[in-house]
Amino acid sequence: MTDDVKLLMLAGDYVEDYEIMVPYQALLMVGYKVDVVCPGKKAGDKVLTAIHDFEGAQTYSEKPGHAFVLNADFDAIDTDEYLGLIIPGGRAPEYLRLNARVLEIVKAFSDRPIAAICHGAQLLAAAGIIKGREVSAYPACRPDVELAGGTYADIPVTEAVTDGELVTAPAWPAHPAWLAQFLKVLGANVSI
């Protein structure tokens, strides 16, 4: 794998910390170049992250995370340069789905590898690319998936589901399954 194989990651303020940090670092580790962008921001700008945890309440808790440094300019993105798309969850997808250019970007990947986790399904639904597809997400996003014509995959929080070139998972505890399935869809050959 060489760093000329590029992936695009969509981020925004209050993206889930583990869902941006872990896939970013893991994909770099196996040789992909990962450009991380956010509307209205340039390379060197930061997005704030939030740490979501499962502590026995009816929904996740939220704590301050890190300041993640973006490494590419949103306005300069040419989707033709990228093999696949990564959409981390957290609160960012909720407002990113209001940005027309973000939705154009997601639609441009509808026939290429996409990995979306947690609330990332909100972007998939808003872009209209999940009709007739099996999609996992954080359980509170089930209505978004179903209203967009997708079939919600109610799977354990540690699992992921692949439908064609779309790989989705409920939350960060699924990273091992989600990233392994995404690498397979990308055609990567990882061995020890």
Side-chain angles (χ1 to χ4, degrees), residues 74-135:
F74 180 82
D75 291 338
I77 292 303
D78 176 356
T79 57
D80 292 337
E81 295 179 5
Y82 298 94
L83 173 64
L85 177 67
I86 305 110
I87 306 173
R91 291 188 7 233
E94 180 181 27
Y95 78 86
L96 290 176
R97 64 185 167 172
L98 302 175
N99 183 298
R101 177 65 179 135
V102 167
L103 297 182
E104 287 173 11
I105 289 169
V106 175
K107 287 177 188 174
F109 285 91
S110 65
D111 61 351
R112 286 185 267 171
I114 298 176
I117 192 164
C118 194
H119 287 74
Q122 291 177 316
L123 283 179
L124 302 174
I129 65 165
I130 58 172
K131 186 174 185 176
R133 299 179 88 174
E134 186 176 22
V135 177

Side-chain angles (χ1 to χ4, degrees), residues 32-97:
Y32 289 99
K33 180 178 185 327
V34 182
D35 286 348
V36 187
V37 298
C38 174
K41 298 190 181 201
K42 298 185 179 306
D45 290 346
K46 298 174 183 174
V47 292
L48 298 176
T49 72
I51 296 171
H52 294 144
D53 212 345
F54 307 100
E55 300 175 305
Q58 291 179 324
T59 190
Y60 57 85
S61 63
E62 183 171 84
K63 298 167 185 69
H66 298 88
F68 186 93
V69 179
L70 303 168
N71 63 0
D73 295 349
F74 180 82
D75 291 338
I77 292 303
D78 176 356
T79 57
D80 292 337
E81 295 179 5
Y82 298 94
L83 173 64
L85 177 67
I86 305 110
I87 306 173
R91 291 188 7 233
E94 180 181 27
Y95 78 86
L96 290 176
R97 64 185 167 172

Side-chain angles (χ1 to χ4, degrees), residues 8 26 53 100 104 138 141 145 149 172 189:
L8 181 64
D53 212 345
E104 287 173 11
Y138 186 70
C141 297
V145 170
W172 60 261
N189 184 11

